Amino acid sequence: MRKLPALSAMKVFEVVGQTRSFTRAADRLNLTQSAVSRQVRNLEEQLGETLVIRRHHHLELTPSGVELLEALQQAFHGVELVVRNIMEKSNHHRLRINVPPTFAKRWLMPRLGSLRAFLPDIEISITTDLQDSLTERSILDCAIRFGDGEWPLLQSQLLMTERHIAVCAPQLLAGRTSGQPIDLSGLTFLHVLASSDQRYLTWQHWLDAADLSNTDTRGGLEFDLLDMAIEAACSGLGVTVADRAMVAPLMESGRLVQVLDVEVEGHESYWLVTRTEQPETANVAAFRRWLGTELAPEEPATRKTASL
């Protein structure tokens, strides 16, 4: 028999360690504050080690408390994941996918009818969390991620690389005769943020390819999602650089037009991501096949230099 303290006491301590408060832990566990405090004290007595330092308005963990909390979180996480997987095995008719918001709206949603026809007996659940939980406590089956394809403990398959073009609403170019040079300085630049204080370099890469490196792109409007920049461009607020696949339907409908015949291959791509430690389910395998049918091989994107 393993010499372990009571499981209930360890679960109480985990919640106390997370909240750093007997009161908040009691609320989560539906216990009284005194019961929570007593469970932690009993655990300390069993271990012969202080785990929590009781301050006036908060709690602090001792080094032993921190060590135990980390071990408990890892252990409970493993148990929870196994339990969820066992429970989900009984549901062979659901596919849970997390997808980047812009990809979901601009690429996946228009093809959702095709996906349902390909998987007629599968219930499809789509989320758009900016950070998926494949490596955490999650019942996700797979995810589509945007990046370089390098994610520890995960397996990734390249789906498509971005092909950047500049687009704007047609009214912004109204009155311009064919062949007449475009003065980009007269347009508002729409930028996408890589972080709260840093823009993606897509505009600079596109301008370099167009031999317009000296164009001043300061100012303009900034968005934390490409989809918002695309919507702003559709509304005539300015010009943005976007992946051709994301804006192709808008160009076909006439809501957006391409500015200059310049296309630049992006430095990051869309990937199908799965867990390496779990065998691929039939539903994920079918989803992978469907993606292959929708993403027919295309000619590599090339850089074109505009003549102004």
Side-chain angles (χ1 to χ4, degrees), residues 16 30 35 95 100 121 163 209 278 302:
V16 169
N30 197 27
L95 176 66
D121 300 322
R163 295 151 55 201
Q278 292 183 344
T302 56

Side-chain angles (χ1 to χ4, degrees), residues 48-305:
E49 187 76 27
T50 300
L51 302 174
V52 175
I53 301 174
R54 294 154 176 82
R55 303 297 188 190
H56 183 56
H57 291 296
H58 68 283
L59 303 176
E60 293 180 7
L61 297 184
T62 65
S64 294
V66 171
E67 184 179 5
L68 179 59
L69 177 63
E70 291 177 351
L72 288 176
Q73 287 179 321
Q74 183 176 1
F76 286 140
H77 164 62
V79 172
E80 182 179 13
L81 191 59
V82 170
V83 169
R84 285 190 178 188
N85 287 339
I86 292 173
M87 294 174 65
E88 282 300 307
K89 284 180 181 178
S90 62
N91 186 356
H92 300 290
H93 302 288
R94 182 174 291 278
L95 176 66
R96 294 178 172 86
I97 317 161
N98 191 78
V99 184
T102 300
F103 186 94
K105 180 177 179 180
R106 302 294 175 183
W107 192 90
L108 182 58
M109 291 302 293
R111 295 170 171 80
L112 200 53
S114 168
L115 177 58
R116 294 195 66 189
F118 195 85
L119 301 174
D121 300 322
I122 302 300
E123 299 173 9
I124 301 169
S125 176
I126 301 171
T127 56
T128 57
D129 295 331
L130 295 180
Q131 299 292 332
D132 67 60
S133 53
L134 270 181
T135 58
E136 302 169 5
R137 335 180 163 199
S138 169
I139 57 175
L140 281 177
D141 296 300
C142 60
I144 291 176
R145 285 186 177 183
F146 179 70
D148 59 7
E150 297 295 330
W151 293 288
L153 307 179
L154 295 173
Q155 178 177 321
S156 55
Q157 175 190 342
L158 177 64
L159 296 178
M160 64 179 179
T161 298
E162 284 197 315
R163 295 151 55 201
H164 294 145
I165 59 175
V167 291
C168 69
Q171 62 264 32
L172 293 188
L173 304 182
R176 175 179 172 269
T177 60
S178 179
Q180 180 182 354
I182 298 176
D183 182 10
L184 291 179
S185 64
L187 301 176
T188 299
F189 289 93
L190 307 176
H191 303 275
V192 181
L193 293 171
S195 60
S196 59
D197 60 352
Q198 184 178 0
R199 298 169 174 175
Y200 279 110
L201 298 177
T202 48
W203 256 122
Q204 193 57 55
H205 295 152
W206 185 90
L207 290 168
D208 290 343
D211 197 22
L212 296 170
S213 303
N214 294 327
T215 303
D216 185 1
T217 60
R218 292 175 297 181
L221 299 174
E222 297 178 337
F223 305 92
D224 65 348
L225 289 177
L226 173 60
D227 186 61
M228 296 174 68
I230 293 173
E231 281 298 319
C234 290
S235 299
L237 295 176
V239 57
T240 192
V241 170
D243 177 28
R244 181 183 289 277
M246 300 299 123
V247 297
L250 296 170
M251 294 171 64
E252 292 171 3
S253 67
R255 295 188 65 193
L256 291 176
V257 293
Q258 183 173 350
V259 179
L260 301 181
D261 186 17
V262 179
E263 182 176 289
V264 182
E265 185 171 318
H267 290 80
E268 294 183 304
S269 307
Y270 290 98
W271 304 77
L272 175 64
V273 181
T274 55
R275 299 182 183 90
T276 55
E277 75 277 8
Q278 292 183 344
E280 184 167 272
T281 66
N283 293 345
V284 172
F287 180 56
R288 189 189 298 275
R289 290 195 301 273
W290 176 79
L291 288 170
T293 64
E294 293 293 324
L295 294 165
E298 298 179 355
E299 291 296 321
T302 56
R303 295 175 180 259
K304 298 179 182 179
T305 302

Side-chain angles (χ1 to χ4, degrees), residues 11-33 36-37 40 59:
K11 182 58 183 175
V12 167
F13 173 73
E14 185 205 16
V15 179
V16 169
Q18 291 173 343
T19 60
R20 298 297 201 271
S21 167
F22 287 142
T23 301
R24 289 194 293 273
D27 289 340
R28 286 193 186 183
L29 295 165
N30 197 27
L31 297 172
T32 64
Q33 181 178 341
V36 169
S37 178
V40 173
L59 303 176

